[in-house]
Amino acid sequence: MSRMHAPSPFLPHLLQAFARLKSPALRTDQEAVLFSLKCLLAASLGLYVSLRIGLNRPFWVIGTVYLVSQPLSGATLSRGLFRLLGTVGGAIATVALVPRFANAPLVLSAALATWMALCLYLAMLDRTPRAYAFLLAGYTTSLIGFPAVMVPGDVFTIAITRVQEISIGILAATLVHGLVLPRRVSMRVHARVAAVLDDAERWTRDMRAGASDTVLASDRSKVAADLLELHVLSIHLPFDSADGVAQVQILRALHDRMLDVLMLSSAMEDSIAWLRSPQTGAMDATGWRDLLQTGLAKQRAELDLAHADCRVLQAQLHTARPDWRLQVPDRLARNGQGVVIHRDHRIAARSALGAFMGILLSCVLWIITGWSEGATAVSIIGTACVLFGTLEAPAPHVMRYLVGSCIGVAVGLLFGLLIFPALSDFVGLIAALAPVLLLCGSFLARPPLIMAALGVVLTFPLIAGLGATNTVNIVGALNNSIALFVGTAMALCSMQLFQTADAGRNRARLERSIRRDIARHAAGQGDVTRAWLSRMLDRIGLFAPRLQGRASAAHDLRALFADVRAARASSQLRALDKCLDTPHVRALHAALIERAAAHFRVRAHSPRSVDAHLLELLDRMREAAAASAEADRGYLLHLLCGLRRDLLVPLLTHRH
């Protein structure tokens, strides 16, 4: 009887198996398998249609399916639309340029290189999924234009065929990913919003509990990066469902309220640190401490309200009703500004000029040598310079793509010489392609392997001679392989010489742009406060990862937040000029805002210690404002106290 009641030895193993089914790693594997199956189905559909209507290069359809496909259905649709627009734009530019300059190879090369450089420049300025359209417009010209130089009279036919192949691949991918077990962008957005709000609330809890600067800096940078990711996902929302427009509006309102959370949390953190620091008592003997405590209580109430508002907007995001503005307080119903992104025209122009130089020099070498496969090599160089040109350090990504291409050449020769000759129908063709395509699709769902997987899936159908007859020209395949390797190697050299940016210089340039805009804002120049603040936080979100590993990372981030708040307070003080009635207060106010602007002008170019004269003006202004009968006296004192605290934050962090 005791044996009958003894627990089964298999029960613990069974429970462990069920636990593994819920593990994040296995869930990722399951999603990758499902994504790969849908990509295979879409590629099969596109290949069948292209063969049915007699297209002579159906391998472009397979490549398009795998380039367009995304784990989220709405992202696949938007990416497909951007790819189609870019392809049509690139085809039009090619048809316009190649016949016109066909008799002047060097001029034609310069014209094509200029167009591709312009597309890369615009893509780098956009920094959203829409940039894909500009990239496609650039490297479509490379893929069509350079091979068409040998037959300029056929460029229109080549361009039309290319657009047809791209359209079939986009349509197949969109149908399959949108209809077969679709994964909505809105589901990812809901999960990210929940994570963002949790991160922000944890930051508030850590700050109130007196957590270390390192912990708070990590929380701070994570929230700023999460806001940028939400903006990127919101680009896909209108393609996801009928509620996408309302969800985008709610996300903009949420973003604006999160700006308040970030500013209030960072201000409270510095106020609490200042009040708890025993070294600052002597500096606050004149009454600033009382103002700081009063302001802290007000900020705590405002922060709690901001967190509650964010949760209200989160609830509205789930319902996404068109009349959502009627369901929320008036302060949340205004048209949201949304994310205002940082654009660096100089870095974009540098990368575009590097692409232009690399493509043009490659064309000159092709013209001088007269290599028969030079068109293929140059088209690969142009594609790589545009496609990878948006990256700060493109070489590792190109190397992964080159490794994948090498594997693709070997697989393509295997298919062309041994497998394709034994096939007799479409079902057998798909069965033969399935193992390679399934493996590539699963790798595409894993970011570290994307470039290698694309190298395989874009190369092996071309080398194998995939088409209506599935016959491979061994000489042509070997020549294409050599052109592929030479083109990729030359692209790698070109990007190392002309397009690789020094990480340290880029970090310093980004910091200078932040400091410069802080000085401009403190001087009353530039955008309105909300748009400016959004752009500054976007820059801080880009800057924070570049500080990883530096001992001063926590101090630098904290000082940046303090400077942003100080510039904002200076701008708000400047706006009070017409509201002040007392002549003495007006005179001190004018001197104060001018001195603050001068302080940040100097700080934009080099670090400086605390401006003693500015602190003295703040003391005198506080005394004059406290003794006056100004209508906005309370608000004025609040701004003065916040400005003084933020100016002294670097001193406080160095003491800690």
Side-chain angles (χ1 to χ4, degrees):
M1 292 294 293
S2 61
R3 289 183 179 180
M4 294 180 62
H5 293 286
S8 171
F10 298 103
L11 184 58
H13 298 289
L14 187 62
L15 293 176
Q16 290 178 2
F18 277 112
R20 291 193 190 100
L21 289 176
K22 297 182 179 181
S23 67
L26 186 58
R27 189 179 300 112
T28 301
D29 291 339
Q30 292 170 345
E31 292 177 355
V33 169
L34 177 60
F35 173 72
S36 184
L37 287 171
K38 291 197 288 186
C39 287
L40 175 62
L41 180 58
S44 303
L45 176 61
L47 184 60
Y48 176 80
V49 173
S50 62
L51 292 174
R52 188 75 176 177
I53 65 177
L55 293 180
N56 59 351
R57 306 185 82 184
F59 49 79
W60 282 120
V61 176
I62 294 180
T64 298
V65 167
Y66 281 86
L67 282 170
V68 166
S69 294
Q70 298 288 302
L72 304 177
S73 56
T76 299
L77 179 57
S78 64
R79 190 177 177 91
L81 176 62
F82 299 143
R83 181 175 175 82
L84 180 60
L85 292 175
T87 302
V88 172
I92 292 173
T94 306
V95 171
L97 293 174
V98 172
R100 184 179 299 273
F101 302 111
N103 296 323
L106 192 57
V107 176
L108 176 59
S109 300
L112 293 176
T114 300
W115 167 256
M116 287 185 278
L118 175 63
C119 292
L120 176 58
Y121 173 78
L122 296 174
M124 291 195 69
L125 292 183
D126 191 276
R127 287 185 51 227
T128 71
R130 290 187 298 264
Y132 193 56
F134 298 116
L135 292 177
L136 260 294
Y139 75 73
T140 295
T141 297
S142 181
L143 293 172
I144 300 175
F146 293 119
V149 168
M150 301 299 183
V151 283
D154 296 337
V155 66
F156 182 77
T157 302
I158 295 173
I160 288 295
T161 304
R162 173 84 168 128
V163 171
Q164 288 176 335
E165 293 161 352
I166 292 293
S167 301
I168 291 172
I170 290 171
L171 183 61
T174 301
L175 285 174
V176 171
H177 287 281
L179 298 177
V180 179
L181 300 175
R183 291 193 60 217
R184 300 295 181 192
V185 177
S186 55
M187 296 174 61
R188 175 72 62 83
V189 169
H190 293 161
R192 293 309 302 147
V193 166
V196 168
L197 299 188
D198 289 343
D199 289 341
E201 290 169 356
R202 184 180 64 251
W203 180 13
T204 299
R205 290 194 300 270
D206 290 344
M207 176 263 297
R208 289 178 175 175
S212 67
D213 285 351
T214 303
V215 172
L216 294 174
S218 174
D219 292 344
R220 206 179 286 126
S221 59
K222 184 169 178 54
V223 172
D226 286 344
L227 288 178
L228 180 60
E229 182 185 353
L230 277 178
H231 173 62
V232 171
L233 287 174
S234 71
I235 302 295
H236 304 301
L237 275 174
F239 302 90
D240 192 55
S241 67
D243 300 328
V245 175
Q247 289 177 324
V248 171
Q249 294 171 350
I250 296 170
L251 280 179
R252 287 176 180 167
L254 180 62
H255 173 269
D256 288 357
R257 206 63 178 115
M258 280 300 301
L259 293 183
D260 297 329
V261 169
L262 287 169
M263 289 297 101
L264 287 167
S265 293
S266 62
M268 282 187 61
E269 175 190 346
D270 290 332
S271 294
I272 291 173
W274 191 260
L275 290 170
R276 289 176 176 174
S277 175
Q279 295 122 326
T280 60
M283 299 185 66
D284 286 340
T286 55
W288 289 108
R289 200 173 188 87
D290 293 337
L291 279 177
L292 201 60
Q293 288 175 331
T294 303
L296 181 60
K298 182 180 178 182
Q299 289 165 353
R300 183 177 287 110
E302 291 177 352
L303 180 57
D304 291 340
L305 179 61
H307 279 305
D309 285 347
C310 289
R311 291 298 182 183
V312 169
L313 290 170
Q314 181 190 23
Q316 291 299 319
L317 189 65
H318 284 276
T319 57
R321 294 173 52 176
D323 62 342
W324 66 272
R325 286 190 174 90
L326 301 177
Q327 317 299 320
V328 299
D330 292 340
R331 62 181 176 275
L332 303 178
R334 298 186 297 269
N335 290 328
Q337 174 74 44
V339 175
V340 180
I341 63 174
H342 164 67
R343 291 184 172 92
D344 194 319
H345 292 268
R346 182 176 175 181
I347 288 182
R350 179 188 180 279
S351 184
L353 181 61
F356 173 83
M357 293 297 298
I359 296 168
L360 187 60
L361 289 176
S362 302
C363 290
V364 170
L365 290 175
W366 173 30
I367 293 170
I368 292 174
T369 60
W371 182 28
S372 60
E373 295 298 325
T376 303
V378 173
S379 69
I380 292 170
I381 293 169
T383 301
C385 287
V386 173
L387 185 60
F388 299 104
T390 57
L391 303 172
E392 185 176 83
H397 300 275
V398 179
M399 285 301 300
R400 294 188 193 102
Y401 184 84
L402 180 59
V403 170
S405 297
C406 293
I407 297 172
V409 167
V411 173
L413 291 174
L414 175 65
F415 270 81
L417 295 175
L418 299 179
I419 298 177
F420 281 171
L423 301 178
S424 59
D425 56 10
F426 181 76
V427 175
L429 175 64
I430 295 302
L433 293 174
V436 178
L437 293 181
L438 284 173
L439 191 61
C440 290
S442 65
F443 286 164
L444 281 175
R446 295 172 170 85
L449 301 174
I450 288 178
M451 287 297 110
L454 284 177
V456 175
V457 81
L458 295 178
T459 303
F460 92 87
L462 169 66
I463 300 299
L466 179 62
T469 58
N470 289 333
T471 56
V472 62
N473 180 347
I474 185 62
V475 176
L478 291 176
N479 285 336
N480 283 334
S481 302
I482 294 172
L484 171 70
F485 296 142
V486 171
T488 307
M490 290 182 66
L492 185 60
C493 294
S494 171
M495 285 184 284
Q496 283 286 83
L497 288 173
F498 302 119
Q499 291 179 272
T500 299
D502 180 77
R505 289 184 178 179
N506 278 357
R507 180 180 63 242
R509 176 169 175 78
L510 185 57
E511 185 175 11
R512 283 196 302 270
S513 69
I514 295 173
R515 298 290 183 193
R516 184 179 61 249
D517 267 16
I518 286 174
R520 285 169 50 84
H521 196 70
Q525 304 170 6
D527 298 329
V528 296
T529 301
R530 183 66 67 174
W532 174 82
L533 182 58
S534 178
R535 184 181 295 108
M536 296 304 292
L537 286 181
D538 180 50
R539 286 173 175 166
I540 291 175
L542 295 173
F543 185 67
R546 301 168 189 263
L547 293 175
Q548 289 182 355
R550 300 182 65 180
S552 62
H555 162 72
D556 292 343
L557 278 177
R558 187 170 180 177
L560 278 180
F561 270 92
D563 285 345
V564 168
R565 295 196 312 269
R568 193 181 184 196
S570 297
S571 178
Q572 292 167 334
L573 278 170
R574 184 180 295 272
L576 287 178
D577 181 40
K578 297 180 181 179
C579 303
L580 301 177
D581 299 324
T582 307
H584 179 54
V585 174
R586 287 176 63 89
L588 283 173
H589 174 268
L592 175 64
I593 59 176
E594 183 59 35
R595 188 68 185 185
H599 168 82
F600 284 109
R601 277 197 301 270
V602 174
R603 189 165 167 77
H605 301 288
S606 61
R608 65 173 299 174
S609 59
V610 179
D611 189 336
H613 183 51
L614 180 55
L615 294 180
E616 180 187 352
L617 281 173
L618 280 167
D619 286 335
R620 292 168 59 191
M621 184 69 182
R622 182 193 63 80
E623 292 172 358
S628 71
E630 298 287 349
D632 294 321
R633 184 179 63 176
Y635 180 55
L636 175 59
L637 289 171
H638 170 70
L639 291 178
L640 293 172
C641 182
L643 176 59
R644 185 178 186 274
R645 175 203 59 212
D646 297 333
L647 290 172
L648 292 172
V649 161
L651 176 63
L652 179 65
T653 54
H654 278 306
R655 287 186 176 184
H656 280 298

